[in-house]
Amino acid sequence: MDEEEELTGTPSQRSRTQFLLFWGQFFLLIQMPCFEASACNRVDSESLLSLDFKVSSPLNWFASSDCCSWEGISCHQEDNDHHRVVCLWLPGRGLTGFISPSITNLTHLTHLNLSHNSLSGPLPKDLFSSLSSTLQVLDLSFNRLISHLPLSSKETTITDGNHTSLTFLDLSFNEFTDPVPPGLGLCSTLQVFRAGFNGLSGSLPDEIFHLANLQQLYLPVNSLSGPIRDGIMNLTNLKILELFSNQFSGPIPRHIGKLFKLEKLLVRINNLTGPLPASLTNCTNVSTLNLMVNNLTGHLSAFNFSTLQSLTTLDLSNKNFTGQLPTWLANLKNLQALDLPFNLITGSIPGWLGSMRNLFFIDLSNKLLTGGFPNELCRIPILSSKEAGDQAGQSYLELPVFMQPNNATIQQYNRLANLRPAINLANNISGIIPVEIGQMKFLHVLDLSHNNFSGSIPDQISNLTNLESLDLSYNHLSGGIPASLKGLNFMSSFSVAYNDLEGLVPSGGHFNTFTSSSYEGNTGMCGPPTLHPTCPQPLSPAAGPRSNTHRKLLTGLIVAIGYCIGFGIGFGLGYKQNFIVI
């Protein structure tokens, strides 16, 4: 038998094979309606249809078809005859209306995701108790659900025992009110609890601290109050703790260092008081530490976070930290964002900041810092090399940019964007702006406002081709605005207000979009859109705007001429009188 015969067989063998395939396919075809009829459990199918979601584009949910083939539905075979719905997954599908109580009839449901829709109204009262033995993932975030969370009531509880299988619960970005409901502590397997951006009130219930498997506790932007109690130390598996924008008071727990797995600690915008606990240095896995806008106190040199080699974001924007910039900052090799405004920091800006290889965001706006702009700062690696600049552009650090504490609102923190490479040195520093600043080619935001800088605006700023925002207002800068700045094609925000600048405002590019407020307070500036739309005519066609030196020479010349004329007249009169007497 040759190779072809080995593959296809003899004519008689091929005929027998074709015969078997034909009857096999025919048998499957005639049996298929039976399989379809028994594939989806009737109760599950009717319960899904009873949900009656309103959608912008129709779902393929039809009573005549198998519900296990419907959009967003997955089933699991319970026995030889029936398949039960285990997954209802319709995030971002444009759903509106209420969540019907019929959803509780899906008693085999393990995964329920209706997030990023426009569902409204309250949750079914027995949602959790009906599904407690099966449900593993529940995500209802980013909707318009209202009222309290029905985890527990007199009639029902989240579970009938300690056997719930829930591991992920996300109820954030809704309109839930009232305290965090009781019954949560019975979810012994819960790993993620997210209910941020709601209207929850009251304190953290102690039963949350019984969730030994919890890895994420996310409750920001609510109205929670009271202290962060020591019971939180029981959550030894906690990796993310986000309680920002609430009304928590009292100190940070003294032994918070026991949470050695902690990676993110965000408790900004609360009423926390007291010093930073020394045990915080034991959280060596922390990458983001954001404590801004509290009433924490202490001397910066008294802390030593050099043991945190994973720290990428350090935000201590308070009003009470004192001392100079500590040298232990130089040991944070992975630090990308340093945010220390609104404190009582003294001394000068250290040049060693320029050697921190991953640092691309610096906010040291502080009225007590003195000295000049260190040239070394212009050599920050990530802002001066293309490879490092690309790395900074891909970073997504959850940190509000240049946020004034009194203006920090829920809405602003609802829109966290990627953190742009920025330097904010709104201080009391003086001297000139170094020409080396042109080396930071990957800088997006430069704020040197409210300082005592003098001299001219360096033409080298035009090398910062990625610059989006430039603020040089409230200084003592003189001369004109370099025309080369017109080449900054991405610049959308610009201000040189309240300086000693003069001359014609550049035109073209983005300069045609800036308003008069960008130039106000400079009496020597002219041209649109300033208050002096036309500039004085020069002395000659080749002469530009008159400088202070030219004006002084001209004034001196006029005075000298006047003096000579006066002297000549006086001398002539005296000579005439003498001549007559003689």
Side-chain angles (χ1 to χ4, degrees):
M1 184 179 296
D2 58 21
E3 182 178 352
E4 182 179 356
E5 287 182 332
E6 285 184 323
L7 293 174
T8 61
T10 63
S12 60
Q13 289 173 331
R14 289 198 300 270
S15 299
R16 186 167 62 251
T17 301
Q18 292 171 353
F19 175 84
L20 292 174
L21 286 174
F22 171 80
W23 284 108
Q25 290 172 352
F26 177 78
F27 177 79
L28 289 175
L29 286 172
I30 63 174
Q31 291 294 323
M32 193 169 292
C34 297
F35 288 148
E36 287 184 352
S38 61
C40 180
N41 180 271
R42 181 177 58 84
V43 173
D44 289 352
S45 179
E46 293 176 352
S47 298
L48 289 171
L49 291 173
S50 299
L51 293 177
D52 193 28
F53 288 132
K54 306 296 188 298
V55 291
S56 53
S57 57
L59 299 170
N60 65 336
W61 289 16
F62 304 106
S64 59
S65 61
D66 178 13
C67 76
C68 294
S69 65
W70 293 353
E71 179 182 350
I73 303 300
S74 297
C75 296
H76 179 74
Q77 186 174 359
E78 182 188 26
D79 50 42
N80 293 331
D81 297 325
H82 299 288
H83 287 69
R84 301 303 301 265
V85 172
V86 295
C87 180
L88 173 54
W89 204 266
L90 292 172
R93 194 57 180 80
L95 306 180
T96 59
F98 301 100
I99 299 179
S100 170
S102 62
I103 200 170
T104 60
N105 295 328
L106 302 174
T107 54
H108 287 68
L109 204 61
T110 61
H111 293 71
L112 174 58
N113 187 344
L114 301 176
S115 64
H116 293 83
N117 286 293
S118 298
L119 298 170
S120 57
L123 294 178
K125 291 184 178 180
D126 54 351
L127 174 65
F128 293 95
S129 59
S130 300
L131 304 179
S132 63
S133 61
T134 61
L135 199 61
Q136 300 173 20
V137 173
L138 176 60
D139 191 346
L140 300 177
S141 61
F142 290 91
N143 278 286
R144 300 172 183 172
L145 300 169
I146 63 172
S147 190
H148 62 280
L149 298 176
L151 296 183
S152 176
S153 66
K154 293 182 180 179
E155 296 81 16
T156 182
T157 61
I158 188 171
T159 177
D160 295 328
N162 199 22
H163 306 293
T164 179
S165 55
L166 196 64
T167 60
F168 181 96
L169 176 60
D170 193 346
L171 304 170
S172 54
F173 291 93
N174 279 287
E175 299 175 15
F176 294 119
T177 57
D178 299 332
V180 177
L184 199 63
L186 298 175
C187 302
S188 58
T189 60
L190 193 64
Q191 298 178 17
V192 175
F193 177 45
R194 301 169 65 90
F197 293 85
N198 279 287
L200 300 178
S201 59
S203 60
L204 285 178
D206 286 336
E207 59 180 322
I208 284 184
F209 306 142
H210 299 158
L211 303 175
N213 293 303
L214 198 64
Q215 298 180 20
Q216 296 185 24
L217 180 57
Y218 179 87
L219 295 172
V221 195
N222 280 290
S223 297
L224 299 170
S225 58
I228 303 175
R229 290 188 288 274
D230 290 339
I232 201 169
M233 256 60 75
N234 297 331
L235 307 180
T236 54
N237 287 302
L238 202 62
K239 295 181 179 180
I240 296 177
L241 177 59
E242 299 195 24
L243 303 176
F244 62 85
S245 293
N246 277 287
Q247 300 169 21
F248 289 111
S249 58
I252 297 175
R254 178 183 176 186
H255 299 294
I256 198 169
K258 291 182 178 180
L259 305 180
F260 60 93
K261 293 185 179 180
L262 204 61
E263 298 174 2
K264 288 186 177 182
L265 176 59
L266 283 75
V267 292
R268 60 178 181 256
I269 315 182
N270 278 287
N271 298 315
L272 300 175
T273 57
L276 295 180
S279 67
L280 193 59
T281 58
N282 296 329
C283 300
T284 54
N285 292 310
V286 165
S287 61
T288 302
L289 179 60
N290 195 322
L291 311 176
M292 67 178 291
V293 196
N294 280 286
N295 293 307
L296 300 169
T297 59
H299 196 283
L300 287 177
S301 298
F303 317 127
N304 189 349
F305 291 156
S306 58
T307 56
L308 310 181
Q309 295 305 323
S310 300
L311 197 63
T312 59
T313 303
L314 177 61
D315 193 329
L316 300 178
S317 311
N318 282 262
K319 297 182 179 179
N320 302 313
F321 287 119
T322 60
Q324 299 184 353
L325 288 174
T327 56
W328 53 257
L329 286 171
N331 297 324
L332 303 178
K333 303 301 182 182
N334 295 306
L335 193 66
Q336 299 178 36
L338 176 62
D339 207 27
L340 296 176
F342 319 121
N343 284 294
L344 303 176
I345 302 174
T346 56
S348 59
I349 300 172
W352 47 257
L353 284 175
S355 63
M356 300 184 71
R357 62 175 182 266
N358 290 305
L359 192 63
F360 70 85
F361 178 91
I362 301 174
D363 190 347
L364 298 177
S365 50
N366 189 306
K367 288 302 178 184
L368 298 182
L369 281 173
T370 57
F373 191 112
N375 292 347
E376 298 90 338
L377 199 61
C378 302
R379 296 193 289 268
I380 294 181
I382 208 165
L383 297 179
S384 56
S385 69
K386 185 178 188 307
E387 179 181 358
D390 292 341
Q391 177 184 344
Q394 296 171 1
S395 296
Y396 291 86
L397 299 179
E398 293 186 353
L399 186 70
V401 183
F402 304 151
M403 187 78 72
Q404 298 293 331
N406 294 333
N407 296 328
T409 65
I410 290 177
Q411 288 73 23
Q412 286 169 311
Y413 280 95
N414 198 353
R415 296 173 176 84
L416 296 175
N418 64 313
L419 195 61
R420 298 175 296 173
I423 290 182
N424 182 1
L425 300 180
N427 290 285
N428 195 29
I429 55 180
S430 57
I432 63 171
I433 300 175
V435 296
E436 290 84 358
I437 203 167
Q439 299 175 17
M440 296 189 288
K441 296 181 179 180
F442 300 95
L443 192 67
H444 288 211
V445 177
L446 178 61
D447 188 346
L448 302 180
S449 63
H450 295 85
N451 283 293
N452 292 310
F453 285 116
S454 57
S456 60
I457 300 175
D459 185 71
Q460 288 78 3
I461 289 181
S462 62
N463 295 332
L464 308 181
T465 52
N466 290 283
L467 203 63
E468 301 172 20
S469 176
L470 176 62
D471 192 348
L472 303 176
S473 60
Y474 292 93
N475 280 284
H476 303 290
L477 299 171
S478 59
I481 300 175
S484 60
L485 298 187
K486 292 189 296 185
L488 299 177
N489 297 323
F490 297 107
M491 191 164 63
S492 58
S493 175
F494 175 75
S495 180
V496 291
Y498 296 98
N499 278 282
D500 300 319
L501 298 171
E502 60 183 0
L504 184 65
V505 172
S507 60
H510 283 289
F511 277 94
N512 290 343
T513 65
F514 303 138
T515 64
S516 59
S517 62
S518 296
Y519 312 101
E520 63 185 0
N522 293 280
T523 56
M525 297 207 74
C526 56
T530 68
L531 298 178
H532 307 285
T534 59
C535 296
Q537 292 295 322
L539 291 175
S540 65
R546 296 171 179 173
S547 66
N548 289 333
T549 303
H550 291 157
R551 283 197 294 268
K552 290 178 180 178
L553 288 174
L554 182 59
T555 302
L557 181 60
I558 293 173
V559 171
I561 292 173
Y563 178 81
C564 291
I565 293 173
F567 178 79
I569 293 173
F571 178 80
L573 291 174
Y575 178 79
K576 182 177 181 180
Q577 292 173 353
N578 292 336
F579 180 78
I580 294 174
V581 172
I582 292 173

